[in-house]
Amino acid sequence: MMSNPDLIKQFLTLYQTQLPIDFNALKEAVIDGNYTNIANKAHHIKPTMVYIGANEQQNKLQNIEVLAKLKNTPEINRLFKELEQDFNLLLEEMSLYVRHL
């Protein structure tokens, strides 16, 4: 974003709005045990994690996507719980960063 604080703030604000929607869709898919939706929703969120530098979370989403294709519910649930904790912290950190721009 070429070190442009206004542009960074604009994108992070967009992510703060869209990520909870996308994450809740993934959560619903996990609760429903819908492997196709789990894989699709995890795949959809991955690029945003890369954009904001959340590489560990991107890796977890990648693993969830693969596990959904293997229909490995216990491991999906374990990773999703980790990701859920990460996600809450991520939103807090993004909010702090936007306030300090």
Side-chain angles (χ1 to χ4, degrees):
M1 295 184 212
M2 300 176 279
S3 299
N4 181 332
D6 291 332
L7 188 59
I8 293 169
K9 189 172 188 174
Q10 180 181 353
F11 274 95
L12 286 178
T13 301
L14 173 67
Y15 295 150
Q16 286 176 300
T17 302
Q18 190 60 43
L19 273 174
I21 295 167
D22 294 340
F23 191 79
N24 283 332
L26 174 60
K27 184 176 186 172
E28 287 178 22
V30 170
I31 289 169
D32 292 344
N34 185 321
Y35 297 114
T36 301
N37 281 344
I38 292 169
N40 289 340
K41 303 303 180 189
H43 181 80
H44 176 75
I45 300 170
K46 286 188 312 185
T48 302
M49 296 298 105
V50 173
Y51 299 148
I52 61 175
N55 296 325
E56 183 177 331
Q57 291 69 31
Q58 187 270 340
N59 287 335
K60 287 178 183 178
L61 286 161
Q62 176 65 41
N63 289 336
I64 288 172
E65 183 180 356
V66 170
L67 291 166
K69 293 174 183 175
L70 298 173
K71 300 182 179 181
N72 186 335
T73 301
E75 193 63 16
I76 290 169
N77 289 333
R78 185 190 69 74
L79 269 177
F80 182 79
K81 285 181 183 186
E82 287 181 19
L83 189 62
E84 194 167 29
Q85 291 174 351
D86 294 348
F87 182 75
N88 292 328
L89 180 59
L90 176 67
L91 288 177
E92 288 176 29
E93 289 177 353
M94 284 178 21
S95 181
L96 282 171
Y97 189 78
V98 167
R99 283 196 302 257
H100 288 97
L101 280 176

